[in-house]
Structure formats: structure tokens, C-alpha cells
Amino acid sequence: NAGVTQTPKFRILKIGQSMTLQCAQDMNHNYMYWYRQDPGMGLKLIYYSVGAGITDKGEVPNGYNVSRSTTEDFPLRLELAAPSQTSVYFCASSYRGGLVGETQYFGPGTRLLVL
Amino acid sequence: KQEVTQIPAALSVPEGENLVLNCSFTDSAIYNLQWFRQDPGKGLTSLLLIQSSQREQTSGRLNASLDKSSGRSTLYIAASQPGDSATYLCAVSIANDYKLSFGAGTTVTVRA
């Protein structure tokens, strides 16, 4: 049982390049989330999904896109990388949102540097 | 908009001392509050979750209290060990919304 996995672990991008951050979970969770964490700051929600085919914006969605074609995978796409997108990106999942006592399970993160 | 603040930002204590980490939030209409641990280069691990109807939760040497009316939570770690060195994050959710609002964290160093 791998939990939540993310690839790559680290990536350097040039301004204007595009890339996809991969996230997968093997816990049959319905809900998946993408966060970014800037130095000295809390995590901020970028996008989330409540099931395959359903996605919605979080607090900081500009410059990103997501898709959810399967329950297991939730890739995050950066189309035109900008220095402001330098951050650590975390993917998380939960069985359902809002259940009593339920928590989110986090992946190890992807460190992205845009130069 | 919910704002979550954690003070202090960093804390260094000798081994064996008790740790007290503080979290405050601006909107008292929370559904639950969670404390997470983050090790360098790793993801977050949930430590304790307190539902809005609860006053505290305990797990081993960890105890978290919640005072909704004052918008505060405190994480106590008894008899700290070097292995407790990490960043501790507080997060709250509103109503039964699945979205979490995070504080910036407190980085703890326990000196052997």
C-alpha cells in the first residue's frame, strides 16, 4: 500500500515552460487535493476533486489546470511557468470530505524551481 | 476568510522539556481542527484531530486542546525527545467543508 505518491520529487523549469506534476493514490479515495507551500507560509489549496470527472478551484488556481479521469490519478498542469510558481507542491487525498474524524493523507511533495 | 496563526514560528528546547505550541483562528465556526507534523523534505502526517464538539484529544505524549469561543488550540508534547524535531502545522475546516486552512507552522528543535 503506497498511499499517495508524487512525481517528480524535484524539477527546475525555465520561465514559459510547461510541465505536469503527477499524483496517484491507491486507497480508493474519492477526494483529492493539490496544495502549494511557500517558504514560511501555510499550505494553500490550488484545486480539488470530489470524484472522477469533477474538479473545482481552490484558493490559488491561477496558472494551473487539473483533470481527474480516474479515481486514482490527479495530475496538476502548469502551462506557462512563472517564477511565482516556485514552491513545494503537495497532493493529498481523503475517502470523503467532511466525515467526522476523517483526515487527509499527503504525498511527499514536489519541489519546483522556476528560473 | 479564515486566518490561522501559529506562534511561535520556531522553538528550541532541551530534551525532556515539555513543548507548548499555539494556534489561533479568526472564525470560530469550525468543523474540526487538526495538528499535522511535517519532517524536512516529507509530506504531512496527521497527529490529532479535534471535532468542534470536543475540548481535547490525546495520543501518547501528545495532547491537543480546543477552545472554539476564543479561537484557540494548543498542542502539548510531554517530555520532548530529539525525534520530536519537526514542523508542526495547525489546520481548520469550516462546517463540513473538506477544505483546510493552514497556519504557517512552528518549527521545533529538541536538543539532545
Side-chain angles (χ1 to χ4, degrees):
Chain A
N1 188 334
V4 179
T5 57
Q6 293 183 239
T7 56
K9 291 184 179 179
F10 176 68
R11 181 79 181 267
I12 298 175
L13 277 183
K14 294 183 179 178
I15 295 172
Q17 285 186 322
S18 61
M19 78 164 293
T20 299
L21 282 65
Q22 302 291 344
C23 173
Q25 52 89 12
D26 62 358
M27 297 175 282
N28 201 29
H29 283 172
N30 296 305
Y31 286 56
M32 296 187 74
Y33 319 80
W34 274 106
Y35 296 90
R36 61 176 286 172
Q37 184 180 33
D38 299 324
M41 307 286 285
L43 279 72
K44 294 190 184 300
L45 184 65
I46 305 171
Y47 270 96
Y48 63 97
S49 169
V50 302
I54 305 170
T55 62
D56 208 345
K57 297 177 181 178
E59 186 181 356
V60 289
N62 291 343
Y64 307 95
N65 279 300
V66 293
S67 60
R68 184 97 181 269
S69 57
T70 67
T71 299
E72 294 78 19
D73 301 297
F74 190 39
L76 178 70
R77 178 88 177 157
L78 283 71
E79 291 294 349
L80 291 171
S84 61
Q85 294 178 305
T86 293
S87 190
V88 181
Y89 293 84
F90 290 100
C91 179
S93 72
S94 62
Y95 179 61
R96 264 184 54 189
L99 287 179
V100 173
E102 184 184 47
T103 187
Q104 294 181 16
Y105 296 83
F106 283 78
T110 293
R111 194 171 299 269
L112 178 66
L113 181 60
V114 182
L115 299 174
Chain B
K1 180 188 173 187
Q2 180 74 270
E3 300 287 344
V4 182
T5 304
Q6 292 187 246
I7 295 174
L11 189 58
S12 179
V13 299
E15 182 176 4
E17 195 164 298
N18 296 331
L19 286 163
V20 180
L21 309 180
N22 298 301
C23 172
S24 62
F25 45 94
T26 54
D27 187 342
S28 62
I30 65 169
Y31 183 64
N32 63 41
L33 181 145
Q34 298 185 61
W35 284 93
F36 290 88
R37 170 180 171 142
Q38 183 177 25
D39 292 291
K42 302 283 181 64
L44 281 66
T45 301
S46 180
L47 295 173
L48 291 168
L49 185 151
I50 312 175
Q51 291 296 139
S52 61
S53 58
Q54 297 175 314
R55 295 296 297 257
E56 66 176 352
Q57 276 284 359
T58 298
S59 176
R61 294 184 295 112
L62 276 60
N63 174 276
S65 65
L66 173 65
D67 184 340
K68 263 191 11 174
S69 60
S70 66
R72 293 179 183 178
S73 176
T74 302
L75 177 66
Y76 300 90
I77 303 178
S80 62
Q81 304 168 357
D84 294 328
S85 297
T87 297
Y88 293 84
L89 294 146
C90 167
V92 299
S93 65
I94 300 293
N96 60 350
D97 194 308
Y98 33 79
K99 301 171 194 171
L100 295 176
S101 296
F102 282 86
T106 295
T107 298
V108 171
T109 302
V110 181
R111 308 185 303 271

